[in-house]
Amino acid sequence: MLPPRLLWRDPRPVPRLDRQEPVTVIVSDPGFHEPGGDDHCSVFGYFCQAHDRPYRHESCGDGPHILALDCQEHGPENMWPQPRMLLFPEGFDPPLSDAQTAWARAEGGADEA
């Protein structure tokens, strides 16, 4: 139901004193592992594709980040939209239709805002 390649960036303005560079999260990409019910992944991190290194919040300062969920077993992995993403659906690229947003909320079990 969602587009094959889906990105999300928090559309709220960055606080004036927060030096963190803009962060874009890859929610879905056709080349990433698609987790299933039989996967028992337990060790995850975020990998910054823009800087080709693991991402640690506010530790870089080298410009905008493009983050992928990185599973120790499978590598880059597609992720469900997180609750914060569904609270701010205007941050998706490409934009989600009302039907797609409703479907993602229902599938992800996110509470309505």
Side-chain angles (χ1 to χ4, degrees):
M1 177 81 131
L2 297 178
R5 177 147 170 96
L6 184 64
L7 307 176
W8 184 79
R9 183 168 165 192
D10 195 333
R12 297 170 296 172
V14 175
R16 190 171 56 97
L17 300 176
D18 183 359
R19 298 183 318 177
Q20 175 63 36
E21 300 288 345
V23 173
T24 299
V25 178
I26 303 172
V27 178
S28 178
D29 187 282
F32 287 4
H33 175 71
E34 185 65 47
D38 294 338
D39 290 333
H40 300 291
C41 306
S42 59
V43 181
F44 293 97
Y46 284 102
F47 188 82
C48 180
Q49 291 190 338
H51 301 116
D52 197 30
R53 62 182 173 224
Y55 172 79
R56 290 168 187 40
H57 183 66
E58 296 184 358
S59 66
C60 187
D62 290 339
H65 302 281
I66 300 175
L67 304 186
L69 183 65
D70 191 60
C71 170
Q72 185 175 356
E73 184 177 346
H74 300 108
E77 186 166 294
N78 289 331
M79 60 184 285
W80 277 103
Q82 303 299 311
R84 185 174 59 151
M85 296 176 181
L86 296 175
L87 289 173
F88 302 98
E90 62 273 18
F92 285 106
D93 179 27
L96 297 183
S97 69
D98 291 342
Q100 288 172 321
T101 303
W103 180 84
R105 282 188 175 127
E107 287 292 312
D111 294 332
E112 291 291 324

